[in-house]
Amino acid sequence: MRHWLSMMDYEPAELAALVARARELKQGGATDALRGRILAMVFFNPSLRTRVSIETAMLRFGGHAICLNVGGDSWNLEHRDSVVMDGERPEHVKEAAPVLSRYCDALAVRTFAGLKNLAEDAADGLIRAFARYATVPVVNMESAMEHPCQGLADWMTIDEKLGGATGRQFVLTWAPQAKAVPMAVPHSAALTAAAARMDVTIAHPPGYELNAAIIDRARSWCAAHGRRFELTHDQMSACSGADVLYVKSWGSSALYGQPEAQMESFRQHASWMVTPRHLTRPTTILMHCLPVRRNVVIADAALDDPRCVVVDQAENRLWAQAAILSRLL
Ligand code: CP
């Protein structure tokens, strides 16, 4: 049984096949791909796109989805081993995951980084506990470390907009924020671009290094495909010649768990907000996973530019997730 936890659990060729499958489904193929299948979606954090696009994918292809909001309409869940559960979490994943597995054909879990302890977040303990105790496939709807559903939808969008990803110039640029945010999306963006055989540049201020294991994997996929992989602190020169400008804020690895210092750092780097001058070519596409804070992360004029493809990205979540679920099930 395979899960969909990390892009690193799949070969680039398998990921490319999933993108091809997503495009086939979008074009009207296999309308019964999920017939009779039931998915439990377990949310520890809020969502707009993920919640609706996965439920829609299940319904559109003949299945059904049940949504649980942990701590809202469902019990708070513990996942650590050997803890005395005398606090706010009355149920353990060790029971919850196998119970849900008896009812449903797959589980999908959203669990953001805690943003207090970098090593704990890097271990991705909560979603890995679900995978350990479930007896059906588990889908990552964004965990502390990765957002692989977003990555696959992004790859599909690049293919559609540029007529193929191979050899294109992919630039991931850091942007400021109004509060500390996780690294899952930039991790998946880096892996996606490397798996899709693009030349990859990642621009961020000093102190905003991404996870070393993810960067190593992206670098090695680029090397295996004969593509360039580069890290830089120079945003404007990184943007020059980009076919894809992917914008995302993330918190500083050096200021992890220090919200006030983090906010001060965001203020110091306010000039990293993306504007139309960062779109250096008439054909550059501007990408962001959404939600996006206008005029903090990206300026109105860039988000409202015809080169901005964020709504297409969001739509493709539906088709990408249908492809993932039909593959797992
Ligand atoms: N991009 C994304 O995952 O959006 P939501 O947080 O709204 O699900």
Side-chain angles (χ1 to χ4, degrees), residues 251-310:
S252 165
S253 44
L255 302 174
Y256 224 76
Q258 303 174 54
E260 284 171 20
Q262 177 63 82
M263 284 310 302
E264 180 52 31
S265 176
F266 284 145
R267 282 190 287 273
Q268 283 170 3
H269 295 99
S271 65
W272 281 66
M273 179 178 76
V274 168
T275 68
R277 80 191 168 94
H278 294 88
L279 298 168
T280 55
R281 302 175 61 193
T283 51
T284 305
I285 59 170
L286 175 64
M287 302 184 76
H288 188 283
C289 63
L290 302 180
V292 62
R293 291 179 188 265
R294 283 176 170 261
N295 305 312
V296 175
V297 179
I298 305 178
D300 277 341
L303 278 167
D304 297 334
D305 189 288
R307 290 169 289 182
C308 177
V309 300
V310 294

Side-chain angles (χ1 to χ4, degrees), residues 124-141:
D124 233 346
L126 187 43
I127 197 157
R128 298 222 167 256
F130 268 91
R132 189 156 61 249
Y133 297 121
T135 58
V136 297
V138 174
V139 173
N140 182 343
M141 298 195 293

Side-chain angles (χ1 to χ4, degrees), residues 46-50 110 142 147 150 289-291 317:
S47 166
L48 186 149
R49 281 144 289 275
T50 304
R110 163 162 285 199
E142 186 172 345
H147 197 352
Q150 182 71 53
C289 63
L290 302 180
R317 294 288 304 281

Side-chain angles (χ1 to χ4, degrees), residues 2-12 14-15 18-19 128 140 146-155 187-193 195 214 217 221 324:
R2 283 183 98 178
H3 300 297
W4 177 255
L5 299 183
S6 165
M7 284 188 145
M8 296 192 289
D9 298 336
Y10 289 74
E11 295 298 328
E14 292 180 292
L15 298 171
L18 280 170
V19 174
R128 298 222 167 256
N140 182 343
E146 286 187 55
H147 197 352
C149 292
Q150 182 71 53
L152 210 67
D154 294 341
W155 184 340
H187 286 162
S188 293
L191 291 169
T192 296
I214 302 256
R217 179 63 68 92
W221 277 348
I324 294 160

